[in-house]
Structure formats: C-alpha cells, structure tokens
Amino acid sequence: MDISQIETLRRLPVAPARHVIDGELHDASDGQVMQVTSPIDGQTVTTLPRGTIVDAQSAITAARRAFDDGRWSGRNPAERKKVLLKWADLIEAQALELAVLGVRENGTEIAMAFKAEPLSAVATIRYYAEAIDKLYGEIAPTAPGTLGLVHREPAGVVGAIVPWNFPLMIGAWKLGPALAAGCSVVLKPAETASLTLLRIAELALEAGLPPGVLNVVTGEGGTVGAAIAESMEVDVLVFTGSGATGRRLLEASARSNLKRVYLELGGKSPNVIFADAPDLDEAVKVTANGIFRNSGQVCIAGTRLLVERSIHDSFVEKLKAFSESMKVGDPLDPATVAGAVNSRRQLQQNLDFVEEARVAGREIVTGGQQILQDTGGYYMSPTIVTGVRPTDRLAQQEVFGPVLAVQSFETEDEAVTLANGTDYGLAAAVWTSNLSRAHRMVRRIRAGIVHVNTYGGSDLTVPLGGVGQSGNGHDKSLHAFDKYLDLKTAWFKL
C-alpha cells in the first residue's frame, strides 16, 4: 500500500450517497438523509439516503422485473461469468480507494481492511464466476423406459441484509453466488457501513450487469430491512447480524410468503488451549489477534479463552504482555493493529460488559477503558477478564468488542462442557499436539468450524455457517449455491 496515497484519499470529500435502483442513482423518495459519522474522529463524512418503504418496494419491483424477463437469469452461465469477472477487475482496480472509504466509515485498520474487504470481495466474485459453468444437473438412476433429470435453476429475487463490520467481504459472500446463479438482488447495507457497497454496485453496472439485477437501498433496518423481509416478491432472504434481528426476519417470512431465510447470527466462540499445545508463544499471538484485531468486531472472534489450569497463569501473563504491545489507534495508519470501534453506541456496550464483570468481582487483567478520547473517535484498549464463570453474561452473550473472557479447565471433558456451554455454535479452536485429542475435540465441539492449532484464516474452499443460535445455511464454498438455486425434477416416460 502507498502510505502517501492513503493520506490523500483520507482527505478527499465524499459526495452524498444515493440508492442504486434499476440501474440508476436515486435519493430517498422523501428526500431524507442520514449522517455518516466516522469512528476515527467523530466527524461527518457524508450523507446516505434514509430509505423509505417506497424506495424498498421500487428496488424489489425492479429486481422482480429483471428476474422475470430473463435479462440476467436467462443468460447462459458463460455470459454471466464474463460480466462478473469484469466486475471483479473493476473492484480490484479501485481496491485502495474502496478500502480507505470503508475505513473512514467503519474504523477497521487499513492493513486488515485492504485484504479483507475489496481484495476478499474480488476473490469471492471470481470464485463464483468461475464455478457457475461447472455445476451440472443430474440424471437419476431410473428404471428402463423412464428418464429422471434434476435441473438447478435460479431461485428468484434475493433480499440480502449485511452488517457493518466487513460489508464488502460479507456482501460478496451473498452477492457472488446469488448473481452467479442468475438471481436478482436487493441489498440493504448497515446504516454505518453502506458507502463501499453502493460504490461496487455502480461498478457492477459499468461491468455490464443489467439494470435491476443488483439494487442497493440504504436506510434503517426497521424500515428498509423490514420491507424486504415482509415482501411477497422476495423469494430468498439472507442475513448476517444479531439474533434479535434474525428472529424478526423469520417472523416476517411467516407473515408473508414463507420465503427461505438463511441466518448467520454471530457467536461466542471458544478458543481451547491445552498444556501440550505445540507452540504456546504462537498460541498467545494468534489468540490476541483472534479477539483484538478490528477491535473484536468479527463474528468468529475467539471471545472465550479456555486454558488448561496448569498453564493458565503463565499463558495469561504472556497474553497480557502481547496485548499491551498491540498498537490501537488511527485505522488509516498502516502500523495500527487495532482500529476504532464502529460507533459510540457499540463502544458504550463494550464498556458496560466490562463494568458488569468488574462489579461481579472478576479480574480485569488489562484494558477495559475508552482511550484516545482527544481524537474525537471511538477507541477501546484490548481487555482481558479472568475468573469468568460459565453463567456470567460475559461468558454467554456476544460483546462484539475487544473483550476476552478467560476460564480454566482441568480435563478434556471439562473443556468440552465449557466450550459447548452457550447457545451459540459458530466457530472454535483447539490447540494440542495430541492428534487423537484434536480429532475428538473437533467431533465433540458444536460449531460450524473448528480450527486446530490456529484461529481464523479459512478460505473460500470451505463453508462458513453455524449451529444453534449462530444460525443456519452457509456462506463460502460451493455449498453457498444451495441457497440461491432451486431443484426441479423432470420425469420422462420414454
């Protein structure tokens, strides 16, 4: 990355954003806007349309029309692939501009944002573009005189609601397979992270995506998100975010057309360290990065550290030292390791969790405070809390901030009980040199992904999804197509 270019991009004014509906840019139907406040310094970056039900319905109507007339769904896979690959190229050409724009809006440190946002989106779109003309139908093993065929067809109009922590990465996890499959999409970004998704939607039109195939409407979840969820014209709804919102989306599906709903609802992921871990110093480093990068605003973050009692004190001491060495600050400084918390509201929620633990008598080993107040931004020191009990709110509920809850265990069975001791089941990790133990733990821990001797870093070749209250369905890998393709049987008498 060119540091001087980052500084130039930081200072550029950002024009007021507009919806992308049916291939054109639109203000809100009533002219209302929302302020975009940067968590870096608390200053206003630009404005977004405060979308209305009318705006959402316009986008849904455009997507329905585009799907039904076959302008995209009717194209052969090779043609769709060509457009999507061009779209990926255009995003890649503007990767640094997109990364800086996103950081100004949501506070992720630039070193992470550059790779995890535009470059990740590029890789995802290319992956699904290349895959779509390699998915075959099936011929059933029928009796002589009959022929059974199984066709895969695009499911229709997709409503996608994505969060603020990694809007391009998570957005691409939805858009890549949905568009490759031939669906049309109405995308609702988070109120605090819409700018980059609006920008790549414009690039999609430049790449040749027909009008109406990808529509982006900004606004509040209770208005725009609810209108998408309750629409009779939306066939599939995909969402990443909170469990409370996920429940409302399921209720909306039941009230409307019983649209399929796929939810990724976060987690309270355990990171289990056995005394025989192959490299405890590496485990310390990865543990810290797995909870404190992006200020803990990662759905699979290792928010619960479970350490074998014989090494608990020494491990925590090393972790404390490493965490205190991490640079927290200006996310547009390439040397920063952990950037800003997304919003003042999120920062206060993080601090409330820590204060509750303090009042309950838990030990705050390090951190737990707001820092860098003079910047006007929202920053929090990496926080380690020990002595956490299984029933504590800090052990049960997702903080979505740089707060690590530490517990100890003595036996493998106790570790499994603690690991499975929440309603969530998104991610986990196990550190051990014992191969048999590693396999046992992978089988016994209830989670969509279990890392062994690492944390994070899985690529597009494997699915990401959870169990329990972490949701259903999968992003990433070829399995993601299952959400956006319908199976149709053709049965012939010969």
Side-chain angles (χ1 to χ4, degrees):
M1 293 181 295
D2 185 333
I3 296 176
S4 62
Q5 191 176 359
I6 292 173
E7 289 303 312
T8 298
L9 292 168
R10 175 206 294 267
R11 293 189 291 270
L12 287 178
V14 180
R18 305 174 76 188
H19 301 312
V20 178
I21 300 175
D22 207 10
E24 297 181 349
L25 305 185
H26 294 267
D27 296 321
S29 60
D30 62 2
Q32 295 295 306
V33 298
M34 302 184 297
Q35 301 292 320
V36 177
T37 301
S38 175
I40 297 174
D41 54 14
Q43 298 300 305
T44 298
V45 176
T46 187
T47 60
L48 293 169
R50 187 184 295 275
T52 66
I53 294 175
V54 172
D55 298 328
Q57 188 54 55
S58 295
I60 293 166
T61 298
R64 183 84 262 164
R65 184 170 55 244
F67 182 79
D68 289 346
D69 70 18
R71 69 185 71 169
W72 182 249
S73 58
R75 290 194 186 184
N76 70 54
E79 291 174 333
R80 296 201 296 267
K81 175 168 76 171
K82 184 177 180 180
V83 172
L84 293 177
L85 290 176
K86 184 176 180 181
W87 184 29
D89 290 343
L90 292 174
I91 295 172
E92 186 173 42
Q94 295 190 23
L96 186 57
E97 290 91 335
L98 287 163
V100 172
L101 180 64
V103 171
R104 293 174 69 182
E105 190 178 23
N106 75 351
T108 300
E109 55 273 12
I110 187 64
M112 171 177 277
F114 185 64
K115 295 179 181 178
E117 283 285 87
L119 295 188
S120 172
V122 167
T124 298
I125 293 165
R126 285 177 177 158
Y127 177 90
Y128 290 107
E130 290 289 357
I132 192 58
D133 61 357
K134 301 170 184 66
L135 295 180
Y136 290 83
E138 301 169 18
I139 300 177
T142 59
T146 59
L147 174 63
L149 303 178
V150 181
H151 298 276
R152 288 182 170 87
E153 297 184 343
V157 174
V158 174
I161 304 174
V162 298
W164 45 257
N165 56 331
F166 291 106
L168 285 183
M169 178 177 72
I170 297 173
W173 289 349
K174 320 294 189 189
L175 296 176
L179 293 174
C183 296
S184 295
V185 180
V186 178
L187 175 68
K188 191 271 178 200
E191 294 90 324
T192 57
S194 298
L195 297 177
T196 54
L197 286 167
L198 288 166
R199 185 70 58 84
I200 69 165
E202 294 181 45
L203 294 177
L205 294 170
E206 186 179 333
L209 195 70
V213 175
L214 173 57
N215 308 273
V216 183
V217 182
T218 63
E220 295 169 341
T223 302
V224 176
I228 294 171
E230 294 171 1
S231 173
M232 300 293 287
E233 297 297 321
V234 172
D235 302 295
V236 176
L237 184 61
V238 291
F239 170 74
T240 297
S242 72
T245 301
R247 286 178 171 83
R248 289 196 291 270
L249 298 179
L250 287 171
E251 292 169 356
S253 170
R255 287 194 303 270
S256 56
N257 60 344
L258 295 176
K259 59 180 66 65
R260 300 201 301 265
V261 181
Y262 300 100
L263 307 171
E264 194 272 270
L265 304 177
K268 195 67 185 173
S269 300
N271 183 20
V272 185
I273 315 290
F274 286 95
D276 68 347
D279 187 336
L280 287 172
D281 290 334
E282 175 70 7
V284 165
K285 175 183 175 182
V286 174
T287 294
N289 286 326
I291 177 60
F292 298 134
R293 294 293 303 275
N294 196 29
S295 294
Q297 299 166 146
V298 181
C299 59
I300 68 164
T303 57
R304 291 186 295 141
L305 176 63
L306 313 182
V307 189
E308 192 165 353
R309 188 157 296 148
S310 63
I311 61 167
H312 174 276
D313 292 351
S314 60
F315 192 90
V316 169
E317 188 60 34
K318 288 183 178 181
L319 183 62
K320 174 179 182 291
F322 187 92
S323 302
E324 291 174 348
S325 74
M326 300 175 78
K327 181 179 179 180
V328 181
D330 179 4
L332 287 172
D333 178 353
T336 293
V337 176
V341 175
N342 178 259
S343 66
R344 186 182 302 278
R345 176 183 177 183
Q346 184 65 45
L347 173 62
Q348 188 57 55
Q349 177 178 303
N350 299 346
L351 295 172
D352 289 346
F353 267 96
V354 177
E355 181 58 24
E356 182 178 316
R358 191 192 314 273
V359 170
R362 312 303 175 243
E363 182 182 358
I364 314 302
V365 174
T366 188
Q369 302 94 25
Q370 180 181 1
I371 59 174
L372 304 175
Q373 290 94 325
D374 59 318
T375 66
Y378 317 130
Y379 300 90
M380 183 175 176
S381 54
T383 304
I384 301 172
V385 184
T386 59
V388 176
R389 297 179 182 176
T391 56
D392 288 354
R393 194 165 73 102
L394 188 56
Q396 292 294 323
Q397 295 186 19
E398 187 174 39
V399 179
F400 222 61
V403 182
L404 179 64
V406 184
Q407 300 169 274
S408 64
F409 65 88
E410 289 189 351
T411 67
E412 184 177 313
D413 285 345
E414 186 181 2
V416 171
T417 298
L418 288 172
N420 291 337
T422 75
D423 293 328
Y424 293 103
L426 184 60
V430 176
W431 297 75
T432 180
S433 294
N434 185 319
L435 182 61
S436 295
R437 171 185 284 157
H439 281 290
R440 288 195 303 270
M441 293 295 288
V442 168
R443 286 182 176 273
R444 297 179 71 188
I445 292 177
R446 295 182 67 251
I449 179 171
V450 181
H451 308 84
V452 177
N453 296 332
T454 188
Y455 202 105
S458 65
D459 63 20
L460 285 166
T461 62
V462 293
L464 175 65
V467 298
Q469 293 188 27
S470 285
N472 56 32
H474 293 87
D475 287 322
K476 301 170 52 181
S477 83
L478 296 180
H479 293 282
F481 277 119
D482 295 344
K483 296 183 290 190
Y484 309 109
L485 291 169
D486 286 338
L487 298 180
K488 176 184 286 185
T489 295
W491 189 259
F492 293 84
K493 182 178 181 181
L494 302 178

